[in-house]
Amino acid sequence: MKYTKLLYLTIPTFMLFSCTKLNEKFRGDLTEAQVGGGGQSSADALLTGVYNSMRTPYQDQSQVWAAQEHTSDEAIGPTRGGDWDDNGVWRVLHLHRWDGDHLFLRNTFESLGGVIYAATDMLRFSPSASQAAQARFLRAFAMFSMLDGWNVIVYREPGSNVLDAPKVFVGTDGLDFIITEVNAFMNDLPDGPAYVANKDAAKVFLMKCYLNKGAIVNRQSPTFDNADMAKVIALADEIIGSGKYSLSADYFDNFAPTNDVKGAAE
């Protein structure tokens, strides 16, 4: 009985001395000055955020990869357990029976839009020419994936009001915008290393744009202009002629964590 009384007396005393007044500050968001006030370090951090935004759409198996591979005969999702089928979303992709509510495709579109937004927003905070070029490259890359999958590009100018309707490029207008962008920032990209957006990566990306231009112009019955194919060949010759690249003796070196130096050192 004495222990019970002691407990009753101890709990209120403990609560009295352990509590502090919490002054909650509403709307404690960072201001634009706080975000961009760090000069070069702020731009570095924001650019890292743009690179990180690429992870979900391009590394998640259910997004760009699934949209490109599971909709073809290049990949088939097996159903070996009750939880592998994911309520039929893989079968819907394989059978081409999706609609606007398909979770994987909707998430992919939103993730690509997130990359585009992150890159555009970063340009507001006075990045260097190289940082701006890298952000614009990543944005153009995500734009191409969006154009390839949905035939549209959603775009805003840096600093525009997000409550206003964005500009939408459709079809060839979108591809022309991407090609113009890449040519505009190409010279400001770094020469390397391989794991950042660089000049050679931009050249390969331009090759991809020209190779696919015929399919963007006419998806039902594409034709490919000889002038576009000549540009692809010229860009490829420029990269090969640089002498910086060679085929590795071991095919699996391409997938090594150090694949940017594996073949070069041998």
Side-chain angles (χ1 to χ4, degrees), residues 48 55 115 157 235:
T48 298
R55 290 179 176 175
V115 177
E157 292 290 341
L235 287 165

Side-chain angles (χ1 to χ4, degrees), residues 223-240:
T223 57
F224 301 92
D225 189 87
N226 288 335
D228 292 332
M229 299 302 102
K231 292 175 183 176
V232 174
I233 294 171
L235 287 165
D237 287 344
E238 191 175 336
I239 294 172
I240 294 172

Side-chain angles (χ1 to χ4, degrees), residues 58-227:
Y58 293 104
Q59 293 184 1
D60 191 310
Q61 62 159 348
S62 68
Q63 299 212 359
V64 171
W65 185 84
Q68 293 181 335
E69 304 297 325
H70 275 272
T71 54
S72 71
D73 289 331
E74 295 184 12
I76 298 176
T79 304
R80 296 198 179 102
D83 61 337
W84 281 38
D85 192 45
D86 294 328
N87 295 318
V89 290
W90 300 104
R91 283 182 285 126
V92 170
L93 287 177
H94 185 70
L95 297 173
H96 289 204
R97 293 179 179 174
W98 64 82
D99 57 21
D101 293 324
H102 193 282
L103 181 62
F104 288 178
L105 296 179
R106 186 179 67 203
N107 288 345
T108 302
F109 186 87
E110 292 176 351
S111 295
L112 291 171
V115 177
I116 295 170
Y117 176 81
T120 302
D121 190 59
M122 180 264 187
L123 297 175
R124 295 189 297 135
F125 297 101
S126 303
S128 68
S130 175
Q131 291 169 333
Q134 290 178 62
R136 291 169 69 184
F137 178 94
L138 300 179
R139 181 177 68 179
F141 196 92
M143 283 180 169
F144 182 87
S145 295
M146 182 178 284
L147 184 69
D148 184 38
W150 288 267
N151 203 39
V152 298
I153 292 173
V154 180
Y155 173 75
R156 297 180 188 276
E157 292 290 341
S160 61
N161 192 336
V162 295
L163 298 179
D164 295 336
K167 185 171 184 178
V168 177
F169 295 101
V170 180
T172 52
D173 288 340
L175 188 63
D176 289 342
F177 176 80
I178 291 172
I179 292 174
T180 301
E181 269 281 280
V182 177
N183 284 315
F185 61 66
M186 174 93 73
N187 291 334
D188 290 327
L189 287 169
D191 294 323
Y195 52 80
V196 301
N198 57 64
K199 288 185 177 69
D200 288 341
K203 292 174 184 177
V204 174
F205 180 52
L206 272 181
M207 291 168 59
K208 185 179 182 71
C209 290
Y210 287 121
L211 278 170
N212 287 275
K213 189 174 181 179
I216 300 296
V217 172
N218 188 340
R219 290 177 182 261
Q220 297 299 322
S221 182
T223 57
F224 301 92
D225 189 87
N226 288 335

